[in-house]
Amino acid sequence: VQLQASGGGLVHSGGSLRLSCAASARTLTNYVLGWLRQAPGKERVFVAAILWSEGITTYADSVKGRFTISRDKTKKMVYLQMDSLKPEDTAIYYCAVKLRTNKSYNSWGQGTLVTVSS
């Protein structure tokens, strides 16, 4: 599965951005699509994920109530709507994919930079 992320940029604190991720695959059944982020000098961490078939979502505690992950099955797109952004959300955001039976993500997009100014 190949992934292409887009939509990052500079936004003021309290603002919104929507990230998009295009997935190139014959089928995404049995896959999990996720967003992870890496802030400067920190490890990459989980943000949100969605089971492709059922649409069930999970979120990191730090973004619950502010971020929403969704997918468009027809277009094979995954989105991350980010509202009420905070400076601590500044990071490179990666979309990633894994089989639902795997623990780790095994395919990554190139990342898109989100910068939130205070």
Side-chain angles (χ1 to χ4, degrees):
V1 181
Q2 292 185 322
L3 304 169
Q4 181 76 30
S6 61
L10 173 64
V11 64
H12 291 299
S13 181
S16 297
L17 278 176
R18 189 177 83 152
L19 305 183
S20 301
C21 178
S24 298
R26 185 176 62 84
T27 178
L28 291 169
T29 303
N30 296 320
Y31 281 90
V32 176
L33 278 293
W35 288 96
L36 295 90
R37 68 186 183 187
Q38 187 167 18
K42 296 188 177 180
E43 294 183 351
R44 193 176 301 183
V45 298
F46 170 78
V47 175
I50 186 166
L51 291 175
W52 186 260
S53 296
E54 296 90 341
I56 298 171
T57 58
T58 59
Y59 296 92
D61 288 343
S62 59
V63 306
K64 279 181 182 176
R66 301 189 297 122
F67 291 11
T68 304
I69 188 171
S70 62
R71 88 300 195 211
D72 184 321
K73 297 179 80 172
T74 301
K75 296 180 179 179
K76 293 184 179 177
M77 295 287 294
V78 178
Y79 304 100
L80 186 68
Q81 178 65 41
M82 305 185 295
D83 298 317
S84 302
L85 282 162
K86 305 175 181 179
E88 51 263 43
D89 294 318
T90 294
I92 299 174
Y93 284 72
Y94 298 89
C95 61
V97 64
K98 67 181 180 81
L99 285 168
R100 59 194 301 166
T101 53
N102 287 0
K103 183 177 181 180
S104 300
Y105 289 91
N106 57 298
S107 184
W108 299 79
Q110 83 284 8
T112 185
L113 177 63
V114 172
T115 303
V116 184
S117 63
S118 57

